[in-house]
Amino acid sequence: MATHKIAVVGGDGIGPEVIAEGLKVIEAAGVDVQLTNYDLGGARYLADGTILPDETLDEWRHHDAIYVGAVGAPGVPPGVIERGLLLKMRFELDLYINRRPFLLKGPGGHDFVVIRENTEGTYAGEGGFLRKNTPHEIATQGSVNTRRGAERAIRYAFELASTRRGHLTLVHKTNVLTFSGDLWQRAFDDVAKDFPDVETDYNHVDAACIYFVQDPQRYDVIVTDNLFGDILTDLGGAVSGGIGLASSANMDPTRSAPSMFEPVHGSAPDIAGQNKANPIAAILSGAMMLDFLGEADAAAAITAACNAHLDATGSTTEIGDLIAGVVRGH
Ligand code: IPM
Ligand code: MN
């Protein structure tokens, strides 16, 4: 059995608590991992100014995956950790797919997946100030959309849809964003020709917000840009049992670089250190990591155990012990 080299960033707040449970469950599944811990995040930045050194990124390139809890701490100005750590990771390693699955509770348990483009759009950082701090100040924040960037996210989403229920929805705002929306729509229509068996649909993002709440059963796979995907996946978490259950994979499907797996939620400093956070999102993210590393059976066992206990109550460690127990007995 292969040993997987995992770089671990517990991070801030509840991050280390939920990652500890994720690792506990991975061990219970009998998967062989070799861990390297990295002390990074808001607290580290406040302590010595370190955010994400290039040498660390180089070390990560020699790992198989990166497992992140949550980063961000009170007292750090907005953008420092987000851009300097998380987005730097996504951009430098070219983790162009952000895959976020959702399972709706209740009979039938409908599931759907959002594929969020992860390296472009308004996140790219284009823009700046003119006449800053004057009454005539101007701020622009551009949206960068390359044909290649849109197309590779769209193609991944079509491939995924063809292995599922064969339905893919493009979400954008083509009625207003007539440049970027047009590029996305044309890329979508072109790639669709290679997938004649996948049924396609289009929703404006505002309408998609209504459907997420009132009719999520219409979705199988959704593909969308970086910012729409960010917002929609918080909504996805909210309508599928809460953000404490929402997992995510930041992936380079070409495997040129290690992919990164993290819960959608943040560091929740208000409940940090109280053994209160729900570790399910982190555990499910760990399962996505194992699946990507070729450990399909272990991943399926962990996912099934979590899905059977989405209502679990108790402390962080109690829920982790529960899932680990189910997985071990599998
Ligand atoms: C997410 C987060 C990040 C994002 C932040 C922390 C930069 O909200 O992963 O959804 O906006 O992508
Ligand atoms: Mn987000």
Side-chain angles (χ1 to χ4, degrees), residues 161-180:
S162 70
T163 66
R164 291 171 46 94
R165 294 189 296 275
H167 189 278
L168 177 64
T169 308
L170 171 65
V171 171
H172 209 283
K173 184 76 185 175
T174 55
N175 54 345
V176 173
L177 305 183
T178 50
F179 309 130
S180 58

Side-chain angles (χ1 to χ4, degrees), residues 13-14 17 268-277 314-317:
I14 61 170
E17 300 171 43
D270 51 324
I271 57 162
Q274 298 171 42
N275 197 19
K276 248 182 168 167
S315 67
T316 309
T317 45

Side-chain angles (χ1 to χ4, degrees), residues 99-160:
R99 176 170 169 164
R100 297 184 161 179
F102 299 99
L103 178 63
L104 299 170
K105 288 187 188 174
H110 179 80
D111 77 302
F112 63 101
V113 188
V114 175
I115 300 303
R116 162 185 177 190
E117 196 292 321
N118 213 30
T119 59
E120 302 192 338
T122 45
Y123 277 66
E126 195 220 13
F129 295 106
L130 290 172
R131 307 177 194 140
K132 192 171 178 183
N133 293 321
T134 76
H136 302 284
E137 175 165 353
I138 297 169
T140 60
Q141 190 95 45
S143 175
V144 174
N145 297 265
T146 68
R147 171 71 193 217
R148 171 177 171 268
E151 194 170 318
R152 63 186 182 171
I154 289 166
R155 187 167 292 281
Y156 179 89
F158 267 103
E159 277 162 10
L160 178 62

